[in-house]
Amino acid sequence: MLCMYKSDGDTLLELTTTSCEKGIWFNLINPSVEELCLVATATNAPMDFLRAALDEEERSRTEIEDDCLLVITNISVMRGLDTYDTLPLAIILTPDHIVTVCLENNRVLGDFNPSTAKTFNTIKKTRFLFQILYKSASYYLMYVKQINRRIDEIERQLRRSMKNRELFQLLELQKGFTFFSASLRANGIVLERLLRIRMNTQLQHIIKVYEEDEDLLEDVIIENKQAIEMVEMYSHVLTGMMDTFASVISNNLNMVMKFLASMTILLAIPTMISSFFGMNLVIPFGAEHPLGFWYVVLFSFALAIIGAYGLWKKGML
């Protein structure tokens, strides 16, 4: 899908026909080959730049070719209640245009729409790039806090139920933290690379940075570092919690098995005595005695009580 936008003052215009006019934002979502060729012709962007983000395993990086700058960053996505993942997003700066390429619709680019047109300008490509990166870092922070609240909720459920389902949910959240940590570190390297590009006077024709843009880039770096710290902290907490609850569940299982073993021992006593008196032999209080049955029952019950007391003293009951 190809959408084309251009800022006009405080409004964002959506273009219906392809144009080479300056300041157009080409937004490609899971594009077809025809759409890629169309954008490549209109912007003179290298085809390998346009296809870079179409690989789900593409790592964050920057690349410069001729007058084009490619920035690939991994953005966070939520795929379910407990499922979080990352997705590559390519941002291409050409002398006259900005191009974004992604495999899926995402909230990062979705926040740049006509209702928020006052906050960004497609003509100011460098600032727009930094705003996209800042929005991406903000969503990482938001999802990390959301995961933490979900962990607290699952913890309360675990304290009551101790079922495997909650542990599997925590494991899914742990996977999300792992993806976030790897992506945020790679994004941090990209931001440091952009910082060096900004200071290179020979590349000023590709990326023009003004004072406000410098402050914005610093804010992006700070947000990214904060997200990394939060992911590491909550990941350690989650790992410790999973280990603790796994130990608690294992201990509860041991207690149940100990109780069942004790009950088996206690039930074996009357079974053994009944077997003795059920033999075809002449024994005291046998079948010929009028109260023989009740004597056997009382005797078995007394031995069971004595055995239960002994097991209780040893902490097995």
Side-chain angles (χ1 to χ4, degrees):
M1 180 179 69
L2 170 63
C3 296
M4 296 169 289
Y5 304 95
K6 183 180 180 181
S7 295
D8 183 12
D10 291 338
T11 61
L12 183 66
L13 304 177
E14 183 173 359
L15 308 179
T16 56
T17 58
T18 306
S19 173
C20 296
E21 188 179 352
K22 292 184 178 181
I24 296 179
W25 168 28
F26 294 86
N27 183 26
L28 291 163
I29 302 296
N30 193 18
S32 62
V33 177
E34 293 77 11
E35 290 172 338
L36 290 175
C37 293
L38 187 65
V39 174
T41 302
T43 63
N44 292 323
M47 184 60 72
D48 56 333
F49 279 14
L50 296 173
R51 291 177 175 172
L54 300 182
D55 181 8
E56 293 183 356
E57 304 300 326
E58 188 71 30
R59 302 296 298 168
S60 298
R61 61 186 174 90
T62 60
E63 188 175 342
I64 298 174
E65 182 176 327
D66 297 332
D67 290 334
C68 296
L69 169 66
L70 169 66
V71 178
I72 296 182
T73 182
N74 278 282
I75 60 176
S76 55
V77 292
M78 181 179 178
R79 303 194 185 280
L81 181 61
D82 300 318
T83 305
Y84 294 84
D85 200 356
T86 58
L87 195 66
L89 168 65
I91 308 169
I92 305 168
L93 297 186
T94 70
D96 298 327
H97 309 95
I98 182 169
V99 183
T100 56
V101 187
C102 192
L103 280 171
E104 302 176 9
N105 282 311
N106 55 83
R107 299 181 66 178
V108 173
L109 295 180
D111 282 352
F112 297 96
N113 53 64
S115 62
T116 60
K118 294 181 179 181
T119 61
F120 67 96
N121 194 316
T122 60
I123 299 176
K124 300 177 180 179
K125 302 186 300 298
T126 302
R127 184 178 303 178
F128 190 25
L129 165 66
F130 294 160
Q131 287 176 325
I132 294 175
L133 296 177
Y134 184 84
K135 184 65 68 174
S136 174
S138 300
Y139 270 109
Y140 272 108
L141 285 172
M142 186 192 75
Y143 283 141
V144 168
K145 295 177 183 178
Q146 188 171 310
I147 291 174
N148 186 50
R149 290 193 296 269
R150 179 62 178 156
I151 291 173
D152 293 339
E153 180 182 343
I154 296 175
E155 180 184 1
R156 289 191 293 269
Q157 296 174 2
L158 268 173
R159 291 180 182 275
R160 296 192 303 266
S161 64
M162 291 294 178
K163 294 181 180 179
N164 291 335
R165 180 171 60 87
E166 283 79 12
L167 289 179
F168 285 128
Q169 290 174 340
L170 291 178
L171 178 62
E172 197 70 26
L173 294 175
Q174 180 65 52
K175 288 170 58 180
F177 275 145
T178 303
F179 295 147
F180 282 8
S181 179
S183 297
L184 284 168
R185 292 186 181 280
N187 290 350
I189 297 175
V190 169
L191 294 174
E192 296 296 334
R193 171 66 173 162
L194 288 176
L195 198 59
R196 291 193 296 270
I197 293 176
R198 173 187 63 84
M199 299 174 63
N200 191 336
T201 56
Q202 297 180 353
L203 300 177
Q204 290 296 319
H205 66 288
I206 298 177
I207 177 170
K208 296 181 180 179
V209 181
Y210 300 95
E211 184 176 354
E212 295 180 0
D213 300 334
E214 293 180 357
D215 295 338
L216 182 57
L217 180 57
E218 292 177 358
D219 291 340
V220 176
I221 295 175
I222 292 173
E223 286 283 302
N224 193 78
K225 290 181 178 179
Q226 183 180 356
I228 292 175
E229 294 174 357
M230 291 183 63
V231 166
E232 290 181 348
M233 178 181 65
Y234 289 138
S235 181
H236 290 322
V237 171
L238 179 55
T239 300
M241 182 190 305
M242 291 180 64
D243 292 341
T244 300
F245 278 112
S247 300
V248 170
I249 292 175
S250 178
N251 184 61
N252 290 343
L253 178 61
N254 292 335
M255 293 175 62
V256 172
M257 295 303 296
K258 182 173 65 174
F259 175 78
L260 293 177
S262 302
M263 293 302 298
T264 301
I265 295 173
L266 294 178
L267 292 175
I269 296 175
T271 301
M272 181 180 62
I273 296 174
S274 300
S275 300
F276 287 155
F277 280 88
M279 294 180 181
N280 191 17
L281 297 172
V282 178
I283 55 178
F285 310 111
E288 298 178 355
H289 196 283
L291 297 178
F293 172 76
W294 297 109
Y295 286 150
V296 172
V297 172
L298 291 175
F299 183 62
S300 302
F301 185 69
L303 287 180
I305 292 177
I306 294 172
Y309 179 76
L311 294 174
W312 178 75
K313 291 288 289 184
K314 293 183 178 182
M316 298 184 67
L317 284 178

